[in-house]
Each structure stands twice: as structure tokens, then as C-alpha cells.
């Protein structure tokens, strides 16, 4: 009918949501010890929501903490214990659940 449709517009701002550690790590069978804080795997709509500077800073902080834990434990990043990671992030002042 001649109307323009923009498929990336959700129509309302999203509420805060958790971001899984799994988006930062490829499968160990694909690449071991690789953390990807910015170019993560997500659908087009999800990536549009994630690609803002504050999210990049949050994923960068989580990536740095995970790398440190993996080095200290002498384990691949895919084996980082999420409990230890979340405790470290909270200690560093990260907000892991929306207020």
C-alpha cells in the first residue's frame, strides 16, 4: 500500500534485561579461550538492542573479569564458573539484575 515498514523498530523502549555470559563465548569446539565482548552472536532485533555503548562497557567489564578468572584457574574461558564471575562483578559494582 506504499507504506514504509522499518523492521528494526520495536515500538517501545525495552525494559532492562539480563545478558547471558554465553553470548561472549563461542563453543569450545569452535574456538577455545576466545571472548567476544562486542561482536557477539544475536538476532538482528536483539543486536539492535545490545549495540549501545553502555552495553559494550558492561560486556567489556564481564569479559575482563572472566578472562582474569580463567587465567587464575588455568581453565578455558568456557569453563569459568558463573557464580564466581557474578560474585566478582558484584564486588566490582556491576548491577546484574534490574532494580
Amino acid at each position: 500500500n506504499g507504506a514504509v515498514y522499518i523492521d528494526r523498530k520495536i515500538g517501545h523502549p525495552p525494559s532492562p534485561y539480563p545478558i547471558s555470559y554465553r553470548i561472549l563465548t563461542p563453543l569450545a569446539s569452535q574456538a577455545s579461550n576466545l571472548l567476544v565482548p562486542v561482536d557477539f552472536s544475536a538476532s538482528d532485533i536483539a543486536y539492535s538492542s545490545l549495540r549501545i555503548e553502555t552495553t559494550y562497557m558492561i560486556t567489556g567489564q564481564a569479559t575482563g573479569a572472566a578472562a582474569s578468572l580463567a587465567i587464575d584457574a588455568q581453565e578455558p574461558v568456557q569453563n569459568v564458573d558463573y557464580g564466581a564471575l557474578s560474585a566478582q562483578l558484584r564486588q566490582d559494582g556491576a548491577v546484574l539484575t534490574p532494580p
Side-chain angles (χ1 to χ4, degrees), residues 5-68:
Y5 177 75
I6 301 172
D7 68 346
R8 289 178 175 86
K9 184 175 180 183
I10 298 172
H12 55 79
S15 299
Y17 55 88
I19 301 170
S20 174
Y21 177 65
R22 293 181 299 176
I23 72 165
L24 303 176
T25 59
L27 297 174
S29 62
Q30 296 172 333
S32 62
N33 278 331
L34 177 64
L35 288 162
V36 186
V38 174
D39 196 18
F40 29 75
S41 176
S43 70
D44 187 44
I45 294 294
Y47 191 78
S48 292
S49 175
L50 292 167
R51 65 176 181 83
I52 58 174
E53 285 77 10
T54 52
T55 303
Y56 289 158
M57 292 186 306
I58 291 165
T59 57
Q61 180 182 10
T63 299
S68 177

Side-chain angles (χ1 to χ4, degrees), residues 46-99:
Y47 191 78
S48 292
S49 175
L50 292 167
R51 65 176 181 83
I52 58 174
E53 285 77 10
T54 52
T55 303
Y56 289 158
M57 292 186 306
I58 291 165
T59 57
Q61 180 182 10
T63 299
S68 177
L69 290 170
I71 291 167
D72 291 347
Q74 297 182 348
E75 292 281 340
V77 295
Q78 285 86 353
N79 294 350
V80 167
D81 177 64
Y82 182 73
L85 176 58
S86 62
Q88 181 65 53
L89 290 170
R90 281 191 181 94
Q91 181 181 333
D92 294 341
V95 177
L96 301 182
T97 54

